[in-house]
Amino acid sequence: MRLGRDFGWLWAAFAVSTAGSMLALDAFQLVAVLALDSSAAQVSFLAAAGLAVGALLAVPLGPWIEFRRKRPVMILADLVRCAALLTLPLAYALDALSFVQLVVVSVVVAAADIVFRAASGAHLKALVPGEGLLPANARFETTQWTATALGPPLGGALIGAFGPLTTVLLDSVSYVLSAVGVRAIRAPEPPPARAGARGRFSGAEIAEGWRHLWRQPRLRALFLNNSLVNALIMVGSPLMAVLLLDELGLAPWQYGLVFGVPCLGGLVGSRLTTPLVRRYGERRVLLVSGVARACWPVGLAFVGPGVGGMLVVVGVEFGLITCCAVFAPVMAAERLRLTDDDRVARVLSAWTVTQRAVTAALTLVWGGFAALLGTRGALVLAGVLALATPWLLLRGLRSPACTPRPEAPTLPE
């Protein structure tokens, strides 16, 4: 389906910034270890702080995004991320880089990332007709997994050749290119819901995104299921690093291989999404892929040593990522359809803030479980709990879809 030149610019902006982010995946943690010789506790704090504090700062920004034109907000978010990242190589060159600066930059980048995602999601709904939402989100998903498969290995090679701040510098450049892509969009942008809204926002406006998510049974089911499943998958990431690198003795290149190869499943899943929906319908694809993705994580607890163990990780991760890549674009399109036009930015902000906060909290909790139960015990617990999450999806998707209320007429400016 042709989605037009302006969507092409939005897609290009997403692609270049995603490529930069994947090149710099875990860059803050790598800089902390390689340039600052930080401890494991400090690195864990750095990872959690960026998610949690960035999400907290983004909470009041939902209405601010909603009541402004989205393209200037997206460009501003890109430039903020670029400026924040550029302070790191500058400080490193001046021998003034500190752990505190790393934490502050990670928080600023995380908050700006939430702002950009909320504004771009709202703008996508205005830029693409309703029938184009699924193919548009499928293209974003394909781009995401392509960058995820290629970016980290290339980023690791660049760091090895040119130093720990190389990928940070390239990531900052990618945000400038993203801003250029957004600026190139020429379609007139519809006026915001309340063009005159400025200044302070009430608590009701800030909380409207969560209220809208909670009012609609199908949207609520997707919200709760996705937040829990993603968090229970992500808590396994540091545990698998300990299991594979420390307990099973894999080399770093082997570790990168077993998590890089399965990303090809993201390409497979995202390419299958549209044909599957045409044949079976969105509801059935959501249910089957949503249930299937919850069945894979528990398999990671049974990984053994050697090549056999590596193949188990590759197989489990490939199946998990394929199911997630089918589910995600269908879920994203459904989320936009079920959301009123004047609430999209606040809903997407609330969604991302909650997901990141839950992931940060459960990551810390599972660190405690690993200390009590061992690495494999904590992985089993996360996998078993993931098996229970499809109940939320099955129950919610049986409810009839709520139709967004008609948009109020807008007076010409």
Side-chain angles (χ1 to χ4, degrees), residues 11-81:
W11 188 16
F14 174 82
V16 70
S17 63
T18 301
S21 298
M22 290 300 105
L23 277 176
L25 186 67
D26 295 333
F28 294 140
Q29 292 91 318
L30 289 172
V31 171
V33 172
L34 298 176
L36 299 177
D37 197 25
S38 301
S39 67
Q42 286 177 310
V43 174
S44 296
F45 174 79
L46 175 63
L51 286 173
V53 183
L56 182 64
L57 290 177
V59 169
L61 294 176
W64 183 83
I65 301 165
E66 195 82 75
F67 304 137
R68 282 160 176 78
R69 294 187 184 272
K70 305 306 181 288
R71 285 179 214 158
V73 171
M74 293 158 66
I75 292 171
L76 177 62
D78 275 333
L79 297 181
V80 167
R81 290 186 286 186

Side-chain angles (χ1 to χ4, degrees), residues 63-64 66-68 192-201 205:
W64 183 83
E66 195 82 75
F67 304 137
R68 282 160 176 78
R194 283 165 36 195
R198 295 292 186 272
R200 294 182 179 180
F201 299 105
E205 287 171 332

Side-chain angles (χ1 to χ4, degrees), residues 282-364:
E282 288 192 3
R283 181 178 179 276
R284 184 176 296 180
V285 172
L286 271 177
L287 283 173
V288 173
S289 61
V291 171
R293 68 181 180 149
C295 298
W296 293 97
V298 71
L300 294 174
F302 304 100
V303 173
V307 175
M310 293 174 62
L311 291 175
V312 170
V313 177
V314 170
V316 170
E317 289 288 330
F318 185 89
L320 172 64
I321 290 171
T322 301
C323 294
C324 289
V326 172
F327 179 87
V330 186
M331 179 275 296
E334 180 76 354
R335 179 177 60 190
L336 286 176
R337 290 193 195 101
L338 293 174
T339 302
D340 297 331
D341 289 349
D342 63 346
R343 287 168 169 77
V344 174
R346 282 174 288 179
V347 165
L348 295 180
S349 294
W351 188 291
T352 307
V353 164
T354 303
Q355 185 168 293
R356 295 191 178 190
V358 171
T359 298
L362 290 189
T363 298
L364 293 176

Side-chain angles (χ1 to χ4, degrees), residues 105-278:
V105 171
S106 71
V107 167
V108 171
V109 170
D113 183 60
I114 293 174
V115 169
F116 184 91
R117 287 173 180 268
S120 63
H123 189 48
L124 177 65
K125 188 173 183 181
L127 197 64
V128 173
E131 64 274 13
L133 291 176
L134 178 58
N137 280 289
R139 292 180 194 182
F140 287 142
E141 192 74 9
T142 300
T143 303
Q144 177 74 47
W145 286 112
T146 302
T148 304
L150 300 177
L154 181 56
L158 290 171
I159 287 173
F162 302 108
L165 275 298
T166 305
T167 57
V168 171
L169 184 60
L170 292 174
D171 193 19
S172 67
V173 173
S174 77
Y175 291 126
V176 175
L177 297 176
S178 172
V180 171
V182 174
R183 183 67 180 82
I185 298 173
R186 289 289 178 261
E189 184 178 351
R194 283 165 36 195
R198 295 292 186 272
R200 294 182 179 180
F201 299 105
S202 68
E205 287 171 332
I206 292 173
E208 179 57 30
W210 282 280
R211 282 205 301 271
H212 191 79
L213 285 168
W214 204 258
R215 280 195 296 261
Q216 298 199 42
R218 294 183 70 170
L219 200 53
R220 181 172 66 241
L222 292 171
F223 172 57
L224 294 175
N225 174 266
N226 204 62
S227 297
L228 286 174
V229 171
N230 282 358
L232 290 170
I233 290 171
M234 292 305 298
V235 299
S237 179
L239 302 180
M240 287 302 295
V242 173
L243 177 63
L244 296 178
L245 295 172
D246 185 22
E247 299 179 16
L248 297 180
L250 263 63
W253 71 267
Q254 292 173 314
Y255 178 80
L257 183 66
V258 299
F259 284 106
V261 171
C263 291
L264 296 174
L267 301 180
V268 173
S270 59
R271 298 292 292 178
L272 287 174
T273 299
T274 301
L276 287 174
V277 167
R278 286 197 190 114

